[in-house]
Amino acid sequence: MLDPRLILEIRLGPRRGKKASLRAGETLSVGRAEPADLLVPEDTKLSPRHFELRWDGATARLRDLGGTGGTLLDGVACTEGAVGHGGWIRAGGTDFTVHVEAHTPPRDDPEEDDEDPDEDEDDREEQAAPAFPTEPLELSPQEEEDEIVRAAHRAEESRFRMARVVEQRMARRERVLREQAAERALPILQAAAEASALHVILDAARTPRILEALREAVEEHRSLYEGTQGIALEDVAPYLVRLHGDSRLLAQLVREGWARRWGIFLEGSVPQRELRRHLRRFLMVEDETGEPLYFRYYDPGALRDFWPSCARRQLVDLIGPLQAFLVEGERGEVLRLTASGKIETSGDGAPPGRPAPKPPP
């Protein structure tokens, strides 16, 4: 595995979403004109060469190159200094952010903890059991009532512990099945990326981890929302990303997000700008009364349910310039949805390409 790259992204201003990356030992200059490496010619407040970043594989350093108005690092004027992961740079009228590739490790499943579900229940009961005297005691009516209440509490605590153990075991089993499904799906998606262009729409509303992974990836991502809406809703927006077969981000998305309804994959050699324009057409639909509704077609569960109910012309319209949608099935298999209405299944232990039941005409 190669050392992580440093990623500089334009967050606000002209060319918003544009990225540049540096490998260890490289330097990147930013400005309005050549010979700067990352150009923002539309920003007239930016100097031809405004600032530069250096990356040694562990530390990023910013150096102002005498740009008009100076350079701000995390809101403070800076001529030279270290830039931390997530650092914010402002030069001219453009804001940039700095991230280290794949810097943040995945979080543990919230339904799991460090408790061992296989711990001997007899030991627990022995530890929790109250000490009884060897000789029976005469209890007053109030003491008898108190003892009954305590016994009921102990029984409730025991039921709670048992339920928690069952939940943990089920969660661990589901995690193992999900990981196995992801490892089966990954080579299928990598092969699709090698054979044709592969894109993904990710639903940032699912988990903050999605946007975190996108900002720590060298691939550029664009919200399907436009303008001020795109800025205001960036934490919950759907994002379009182009992926390659050897992409670190592709492997990360599949291993962390497969069978969790993070998004859908799109197969087809379509320019990103054209594809985004096409996909934006379907963000809003009308119900029977003509009321506009958000259509979350990038939810694999919603798309699976929607596909069999569609007429052929609707499928053709939705697929548009693409070849197919690739989505997770209910068992973690890979479903390939095409404009013909055919649904092919692979990655579930069955022969690749086995057709699923055909939808109605």
Side-chain angles (χ1 to χ4, degrees):
M1 181 70 69
L2 296 173
D3 289 335
R5 289 166 282 190
L6 189 74
I7 301 160
L8 180 69
E9 178 185 354
I10 298 176
R11 287 291 300 278
L12 294 173
R15 307 205 174 189
R16 182 170 180 260
K18 180 72 176 175
K19 288 185 178 183
S21 62
L22 297 80
R23 294 199 180 276
E26 293 183 340
T27 300
L28 176 82
S29 59
V30 179
R32 193 181 70 246
E34 294 182 347
D37 302 308
L38 178 60
L39 301 177
V40 191
E42 301 86 352
D43 186 353
T44 57
K45 296 180 180 179
L46 206 61
S47 296
R49 291 183 75 243
H50 201 108
F51 70 89
E52 70 176 18
L53 276 176
R54 283 182 249 169
W55 173 240
D56 64 7
T59 304
R61 294 200 64 83
L62 165 73
R63 185 165 73 94
D64 180 72
L65 299 177
T68 303
T71 303
L72 300 182
L73 173 59
D74 296 328
V76 179
C78 178
T79 55
E80 186 168 356
V83 185
H85 176 75
W88 197 284
I89 298 171
R90 181 169 181 81
T94 304
D95 287 5
F96 307 80
T97 53
V98 176
H99 290 89
V100 178
E101 184 180 19
H103 175 77
T104 309
R107 295 165 180 80
D108 292 335
D109 290 341
E111 66 269 22
E112 296 180 11
D113 57 29
D114 294 332
E115 184 180 355
D116 183 3
D118 295 321
E119 182 181 340
D120 191 318
E121 289 300 313
D122 293 334
D123 290 345
R124 292 188 186 180
E125 292 176 2
E126 183 179 338
Q127 294 167 9
F132 289 101
T134 56
E135 297 293 334
L137 295 177
E138 289 289 338
L139 300 177
S140 68
Q142 181 61 50
E143 290 172 332
E144 287 182 355
E145 183 177 340
D146 292 344
E147 181 58 33
I148 292 172
V149 171
R150 285 193 292 269
H153 286 170
R154 288 195 296 271
E156 183 65 24
E157 290 173 0
S158 178
R159 285 193 294 270
F160 175 80
R161 287 197 302 270
M162 288 299 299
R164 181 59 178 156
V165 167
V166 171
E167 288 176 1
Q168 288 177 327
R169 288 174 178 169
M170 291 178 62
R172 294 190 183 204
R173 180 176 180 275
E174 290 173 2
R175 185 191 66 184
V176 170
L177 293 176
R178 185 172 63 241
E179 290 173 350
Q180 291 173 346
E183 291 304 322
R184 291 193 298 268
L186 181 56
I188 296 170
L189 294 168
Q190 288 173 328
E194 293 292 343
S196 176
L198 186 69
H199 313 260
V200 64
I201 305 175
L202 295 165
D203 183 4
R206 283 284 169 195
T207 169
R209 176 62 175 166
I210 290 176
L211 202 50
E212 184 178 66
L214 290 178
R215 286 175 178 159
E216 295 179 7
V218 297
E219 290 86 350
E220 295 179 2
H221 56 278
R222 286 290 308 276
S223 171
L224 293 186
Y225 296 158
E226 194 63 89
T228 54
Q229 181 194 39
I231 297 174
L233 299 177
E234 68 173 4
D235 290 342
V236 295
Y239 287 89
L240 178 64
V241 188
R242 168 76 182 270
L243 298 167
H244 300 280
D246 60 350
S247 165
R248 179 184 291 195
L249 178 62
L250 172 56
Q252 179 183 4
L253 293 176
V254 174
R255 287 184 172 129
E256 291 189 40
W258 192 256
R260 284 176 163 170
R261 299 173 73 163
W262 277 20
I264 62 173
F265 293 86
L266 320 173
E267 186 181 343
S269 299
V270 187
Q272 197 82 338
R273 184 187 296 269
E274 177 186 341
L275 179 57
R276 181 174 178 270
R277 188 183 310 120
H278 168 74
L279 295 170
R280 279 179 45 79
R281 292 174 49 213
F282 306 99
L283 291 175
M284 299 293 294
V285 295
E286 293 183 353
D287 64 12
E288 314 81 53
T289 65
E291 286 293 319
L293 300 171
Y294 280 105
F295 178 28
R296 297 171 62 84
Y297 63 89
Y298 42 84
D299 177 343
L303 193 61
R304 286 196 312 262
D305 295 341
F306 174 74
W307 209 257
S309 66
C310 285
R312 188 65 53 87
R313 59 179 177 78
Q314 292 175 304
L315 299 181
V316 170
D317 192 32
L318 184 56
I319 287 283
L322 295 164
Q323 297 174 16
F325 293 130
L326 302 174
V327 304
E328 63 197 43
E330 291 183 353
R331 302 184 307 276
E333 72 275 27
V334 180
L335 302 180
R336 189 172 188 269
L337 315 181
T338 66
S340 68
K342 185 179 180 183
I343 303 177
E344 295 180 349
T345 306
S346 57
D348 63 345
R354 183 191 67 186
K358 288 188 177 181

